Amino acid sequence: MNFHPDYYHRHSIRLKGYNYAQPGAYFVTLCTYQRHCWFGEIRNGKMGLNQIGKIVAQEWLYSAQLRQEIQLDAWIIMPNHLHGIVIITPSKERNNHPIDPIDKGNNPGFPQFEYTSPTGKQPDTPLSNLPIHRPARSLSSFMAGFKSTVTKRINLMRQSIGTPIWQRNYYEHIIRNQKSLFNIRNYIINNPRRWESDADNPYHDPNYQSMELDLPF
């Protein structure tokens, strides 16, 4: 089956009745609120993260460290979205899952950060009030925790409360074989070079009005 990134950008294809806590690999996309370009900019085909984008990168890495069932494969932060491959595996297989990760150390698609941050929850969707049907140790649990913590940190830095950072939903695709995994990895790594034609680039929309996030520095 061919990989069609534009389709997976715009459609939530969550399968009814599918157990997203079971071991497997998933391609996920998270977009900013109203597709605002808050995480940095593309220059010469490379993504440059600003302070907000660096928070997103730090929390992406740290959220996986907190969860023994989660491993990260290829991922990239774009000006207004994040693409990533998330692998859910039993804890005892954390370092021995059946899908071979690419070499993060030699791959330009993997920003290198160390985590030094507090934890928190999303102001407009408090973690304690999240729906009780969200399974623990599942993809949705991981996404909710990551999004809420990023929102909390950014709003603390901005000395503001309640500003939404993310779209409420996220998009995912179940990776079912090595060919699909290879194609999606390549798509993620090469995404910055395709920004001008990216379906998520809001500047293609003549009605788009950008909104800046004020920072205290």
Side-chain angles (χ1 to χ4, degrees), residues 42 45-47 74-76 78 81 83 102 107-110 182-198:
I42 304 289
K46 295 182 180 180
M47 178 63 190
W75 58 281
I76 189 73
M78 296 290 287
H81 61 277
H83 289 308
I102 57 181
N107 195 310
F110 290 85
F182 177 80
N183 289 339
I184 293 171
R185 282 172 172 167
N186 282 337
Y187 173 77
I188 290 173
I189 293 167
N190 293 312
N191 207 225
R193 297 179 206 149
R194 300 178 176 134
W195 176 241
E196 291 301 320
S197 60
D198 196 315

Side-chain angles (χ1 to χ4, degrees), residues 35-56:
R35 296 187 300 155
H36 292 303
C37 295
W38 287 336
F39 299 156
E41 60 182 337
I42 304 289
R43 290 184 178 178
N44 300 320
K46 295 182 180 180
M47 178 63 190
L49 298 178
N50 57 22
Q51 291 299 313
I52 292 174
K54 289 178 181 178
I55 288 175
V56 176

Side-chain angles (χ1 to χ4, degrees), residues 197-210:
S197 60
D198 196 315
D200 282 320
N201 187 333
Y203 295 104
H204 296 317
D205 183 353
N207 297 318
Y208 172 70
Q209 295 182 350
S210 64

Side-chain angles (χ1 to χ4, degrees), residues 24-162:
Y26 306 89
F27 171 51
V28 299
T29 297
L30 301 90
C31 297
T32 59
Y33 178 68
Q34 296 184 350
R35 296 187 300 155
H36 292 303
C37 295
W38 287 336
F39 299 156
E41 60 182 337
I42 304 289
R43 290 184 178 178
N44 300 320
K46 295 182 180 180
M47 178 63 190
L49 298 178
N50 57 22
Q51 291 299 313
I52 292 174
K54 289 178 181 178
I55 288 175
V56 176
Q58 290 167 357
E59 292 297 341
W60 184 247
L61 292 171
Y62 187 64
S63 294
Q65 293 174 18
L66 286 176
R67 296 166 173 82
Q68 292 189 354
E69 73 278 6
I70 295 293
Q71 284 195 337
L72 300 179
D73 200 284
W75 58 281
I76 189 73
I77 296 170
M78 296 290 287
N80 64 354
H81 61 277
L82 181 154
H83 289 308
I85 296 173
V86 177
I87 299 170
I88 298 180
T89 181
S91 297
K92 64 181 180 180
E93 297 181 10
R94 179 171 172 79
N95 295 313
N96 189 30
H97 58 75
I99 301 178
D100 298 329
I102 57 181
D103 184 354
K104 301 177 181 64
N106 296 319
N107 195 310
F110 290 85
Q112 301 297 315
F113 292 97
E114 293 190 5
Y115 173 80
T116 55
S117 94
T119 58
K121 55 192 177 185
Q122 187 170 352
D124 59 345
T125 310
L127 200 57
S128 60
N129 293 330
L130 290 173
I132 60 175
H133 63 270
R134 179 173 288 121
R137 299 178 179 273
S138 65
L139 183 65
S140 60
S141 177
F142 172 59
M143 293 293 100
F146 165 71
K147 290 171 67 176
S148 63
T149 303
V150 167
T151 299
K152 175 67 173 181
R153 282 196 63 193
I154 291 173
N155 281 330
L156 282 175
M157 180 178 68
R158 297 180 58 246
Q159 301 176 4
S160 176
I161 297 176

